[in-house]
Amino acid sequence: MTLLRHDFLRSPVAVASATTLIAAALFAILGPALFGDVAGKVNLRARNAPPFDLHSGWLNILGADALGRSIVARIAVAARNTIGIAAAAVVASLVVGGGIGVLVGLSNGRMAGFIMRCVDIVMSFPSLLLALVVLYVLSPSPWNVVLVLAITRMPIYVRTARAEVLEIRERAFIAAARVMGGGTRHIAMHHVVPLVLPTLLIVAGLEFALVVLAESALSFLGMGIQPPDMTWGLMVSDGRSYIATAWWVSFWPGLTIVLVALSANLLANWFRGASDPTLRKPRKVGADA
Amino acid sequence: MLKFLLRRTLQSAVALLALVTVVFFLARLTGDPVDLFLPLEATEEARARVAAQYGFDQPIPVQYVRYLGGVLSLDFGPSIFQGRPAIDPVLEAFPVTLMLALVTMSIAAALAILVGAVAAYRPDGVFDRIASVVTLIGASTPDFWLAIVAILFFSVSLGLLPTSGTGGIAFWVLPVGVLLTRPLGVLTQVVRSSFLNALSAPYVRTARAKGASTRRVIFVHALRNALLPVITVAGDLLAGFLNGAVVVETIFGWPGIGHLMISSIRQRDFAVVQAAILVTAVAVFVMNILIDFAYARLDPRVSVRQAKQ
Amino acid sequence: MEYRGLPRVIAGPAVLAISLLAAASLHAKPVTIVVDTEPDQLDPCQIDKSQVGPVIKSNVIETLTEIDPFDGTVLPRLATEWVRLDATTWQFDLRGGVTFHDGSPLTAEAVAVSMRRTLVPELSCESALKYFAAIKLTAEPVDDDTVRFTTDIPVEILPTMMASVGISSLATPLNEITRAPIGTGPYVLSEWVPGQRVVLSAYPGYWGGPAEVTGATYVWRQDSAVRAAMVAAGEADIAPRIAVQDATDGSMDFAYSNAVTTSFRIDGAIAPLDDVRVRRAANLAIDRDALRGTLFSAEAIPAAQQVPPGATGYNPELTPYAFDPGEARRLLAAARADGAPVDTEIVLIGRYNIYSNAEEVVQAVQAMLADVGFKTSIKMTDSAEWFKLALKPFAEGRAPNIFQTGHDNTMGDAVFTVPAKYASTERQATMTVPELDRLIAEASVASGEERRAKFAEALRMIHEDIVPDIILFHMVEFARVNPRITYVPNVSTGTALQLRQISFK
């Protein structure tokens, strides 16, 4: 463990990523309390105020949006909804989708075929229609947003997990585990999941950004978060009409999404590399050659 | 093999029926097209008459049975807004999207394999780091933002490329470029990860022990196995494109199926929505069958019998 | 009252020769026009639809009359003059020497059939539903060049209404929608590649002679920034509608009135909005000066009524509510003291893209209402859901709401606005005021000065006594025009962009 910490401190990428994520987490926890009022304060006379101009106060350091609200304050406040919704959706689809994928990969029965066709259905079902239905039948609340996002993003985990399982299940040590009398459940938990998880986590890391962006599309339809609540995705989509004339309205929240997503991915990659000794082998191989 | 195909087709047909049913009933939970089709000033009688004309006044189960009967004889009903059979606009739009998706995915997969393999060759090396950061930034950039910035820069400021529309190769550059960013980011990471996995697998070690050179190990033995997850993820992304390249289609004025689906969902033009979903679903199902075949070809340990799940 | 049109134009050989020379000059070129949505159909009877009109109205399909975009008077087009024979009968004389694109001549028979076709229920023609729903009309040819319209009730403004009825060839199928309109206009529909473009080319047999523009290609891009970019990059000549924030180049961008008035409807049937003081307070809370030049164009005109200036019945005496938050708070306090549940949460219902910046407008209005003490929440809707909420029957037990809406009146008469918006017998008004209903009914059948005065009085009553809405602005739209051409956008640009009005520099 100390070795890991030593490694961590020697990796500038890991330190920078972790710092970004901690900052985002702090915003999520403290943002609404600190900036809640300012973030909602409409001031049409400061509409689309440009960034780096301190005349209208330091809160407009990153500029103001179309209603003259401080962008920096809104990014801070929106962190809670954005991270909460995206994390819940990613975890839900990872656990359910990955679980289904592993089970399907390990079994041979008719059930597996049936489940995969159900996944095909979900894949060919436009998320927009699902969103509209939820909007009409249920109400647009954060949990319903999570529901829609989790369902539409699930197939990729099912199919990735299944593919990985098909690839590793014939490996010698699993055959050995079978011979030694391990049940399917035992094999799944102890031999398959540890091997499948890294790939799924990489997918999940990438999905975080996609889910944030997908959430912005839902917000745009009135299905997602409703004003005065806010998310980074909603901020980007609100700034859409001003890309040509006031780039900062969509740029800063977009940059925040990119930075947080990037940090999550880089940290996941680093952790995976640092904690899995077998992955260091190829590096030596490469160095030898 | 033939038996597999037959059984798979049968399964797919059942699933398609389920899909059609779900879409039919869910769509009808979102209101009906009559209000939108008529001007705000239209009278209640006019609305009732149009509803009757298109059968929306019937109980929903009756509408469903009628619709299903139509589908079986390849009649998908009329588009209320376009005044022609709903299948017509769908068949016009589908090839556009299919071409766009195939071109984009081919380029993305080729680039991702190249970049991912080189990155995995020296994990944590300079190339690996830069490639990771660049592709991840691409994957997490909002596509509408990228699209409009690209138009303003390449078309308006530099005057190099047409802003939008369809035509020769120049018209493909911006839409494909924007569409490329997301799958490229995802695929590169997947390729890199599965290469690393493959390199640590026993059979690669065996190959190495038998004296295969490192490069040969990476590019022949590992590639073969690393391709499996790549195909899976690429398939998912392609399916996503078939009903989800909406932003790019809309901004660049490409008359594809995503754009058609969104506008008809907004208009509640149910017949078009249903026909569009059915056509894309058939495409997704066919693609998944092809992917499973590809599995069987690429990985000798996965037999068609296993893949048919 | 009788309208007399211009004398018939006689296209003599000399005129023709001069025009042909003009057409052969270097100036004769096609243009490209980028609109926001593809037309879903191009039926001659749908020329009043917003995606159809800008392409074919007055270009491919002509009408008997047209509305002067500058002063709202009725001008001759395919009819040269018209006369009211008695209260329920109008007679129109047709222009001579006019042929349809299929070569057949314009006859009274063709006009009568076009009129009947417009009224065929199965076609759901826009103008039939908007203007002719309450009227029983028969169209009969008198002779080859004269057609007579008889109505069951007196229709004062039939010549105005004829500007919405497209005249098409007898070859047009009577009972089904066509995607290949055959009209008498200066341009022929020569190609429609669905999803990609509509192409018009000059009709050599046009009665008005050739024009500088030899043809037009219509393309569509949903994003305003892209449309503006296309004109800037020289790929298109006109983008008839771009968002206010994209109109940044004074040399290319022109503001024009589009006869749209934006407003919020107040649901006066539900407490606390059933109290007129609360409705007034909502009006006094709105700072129109802060909205203008920011979310709305600086050229938009603060409005006190939904009828656009210049239309018959427009009341020039009315002034918009001033921004007076102090008075608004006082009114709310007074209502509260009388037991009105002022602290009930009011739902601000908005609609995405009903006009540029519509979402921001809802949030800005929410902030302004909050400043004087209203408790509100926002619900944004898409157009389908919005339509359900716009029309009666309204849901029982609904929350008190303030409803974002807009209205266009390009026909130049208050009758196209006031009954639909305010008469309780129609489907949009939330309140029932018998006195207002009576006044509207009288105004609708009156003529001349009496008509003007009655509508003006109805509008005063609405604005001052009933206060059923918050009227915001008479709107302007922006068009971007490529410097290589000369085209001055006008109120009809958004409904019928006449290619003949374009010339090359």
Side-chain angles (χ1 to χ4, degrees), chain B residues 35-41 46-47 49-50 53 81-82 84 92 148 156 162-166 250 255 268, chain C residues 40-41 121-122 124 126 129-130 179 194-196 221-223 229-230 235 382 384 387-388 391 427-428:
Chain B
D35 286 320
L36 269 180
F37 179 59
L38 300 182
L40 209 50
E41 294 86 349
R47 281 167 208 283
R49 206 202 51 244
V50 172
Q53 187 182 340
F81 283 86
Q82 302 203 8
R84 56 178 179 154
E92 283 159 12
I148 292 179
V156 180
T163 57
S164 53
T166 48
T250 306
R268 311 290 193 268
Chain C
D40 38 28
Q41 41 176 284
E122 284 73 30
S124 300
E126 187 90 348
L129 296 164
K130 264 168 119 167
R179 292 167 66 87
Q196 299 187 27
R221 303 288 182 265
Q222 196 175 301
D223 225 278
M230 284 183 74
E235 289 173 27
D382 78 339
F387 263 81
K388 280 262 179 272
L391 299 176
R427 299 187 65 200
Q428 295 183 57

Side-chain angles (χ1 to χ4, degrees), chain A residues 11-13 104-110 112-114 116-118 120-130 132-133 136-137 155-157 159-160 162-164 166-173 195 198-199 202-203 206 209-210 213 216 220-221 233 236-237 239-240 243-245 247 250-251 254 257-259 261-262 265-266 269-270 272-273 276 278-279 281-283 285-287 289, chain B residues 7-8 11-12 15-16 18-19 22-23 26-27 29-31 120-124 129 132-133 136-137 139-145 148-149 152 182 185-186 189-190 192-194 196-203 205 208 214 225 228-229 232-233 235-237 239-240 243 247 250-251 261-262 265-266 268 273 277 280-281 284-285 287-288 291-292 295 299 301-302 305-309:
Chain A
S11 163
V13 174
V104 170
L106 285 174
S107 63
N108 276 324
R110 259 161 212 273
F114 174 75
M116 288 316 288
R117 296 296 81 72
C118 290
D120 288 353
I121 292 182
V122 177
M123 273 172 79
S124 38
F125 196 90
S127 53
L128 192 69
L129 181 61
L130 184 67
L132 261 181
V133 171
Y136 268 74
V137 180
I156 193 160
Y157 298 98
R159 296 185 62 87
T160 309
R162 170 179 171 259
E164 289 276 295
L166 285 185
E167 195 259 332
I168 56 180
R169 67 183 237 175
E170 299 302 318
R171 282 192 194 172
F173 65 93
L195 278 166
T199 309
I202 293 291
V203 174
L206 288 158
L210 303 194
L213 297 176
S216 87
F220 204 66
L221 282 168
V236 178
S237 97
R240 173 183 178 153
I243 293 171
T245 47
W247 54 269
S250 56
F251 180 79
I257 295 175
V258 171
L259 282 180
L262 192 60
N265 282 297
L266 291 177
N269 276 353
W270 172 84
R272 189 169 159 252
D276 183 351
T278 61
L279 287 176
K281 284 268 161 61
R283 184 188 196 172
V285 172
Chain B
R7 187 168 149 187
R8 187 63 186 265
Q11 279 182 347
S12 301
L16 281 176
L19 177 70
V22 170
V23 169
L26 284 188
L29 291 176
T30 63
Y121 183 65
R122 285 181 204 277
D124 295 327
R129 292 246 168 98
S132 275
V133 171
L136 285 172
I137 289 178
S140 38
T141 306
D143 42 7
F144 57 82
W145 189 88
I148 292 179
V149 170
L152 292 175
R182 201 161 293 174
V186 176
Q189 291 300 307
V190 171
R192 178 184 177 277
S193 154
S194 50
L196 291 179
N197 265 348
L199 286 174
S200 66
Y203 55 92
R205 291 188 190 159
R208 258 183 51 232
T214 315
N225 282 288
L228 292 177
T232 313
V233 175
D236 284 327
L237 291 166
N243 59 40
V247 171
T250 306
I251 291 184
M261 218 183 288
I262 289 268
I265 285 174
R266 287 217 173 113
R268 311 290 193 268
V273 176
I277 291 177
T280 45
V284 169
F285 280 63
M287 190 189 71
N288 284 339
I291 286 177
D292 286 346
Y295 262 73
D299 189 344
R301 290 164 301 143
V302 180
R305 205 183 122 60
Q306 284 156 1
K308 78 189 166 195
Q309 301 158 5

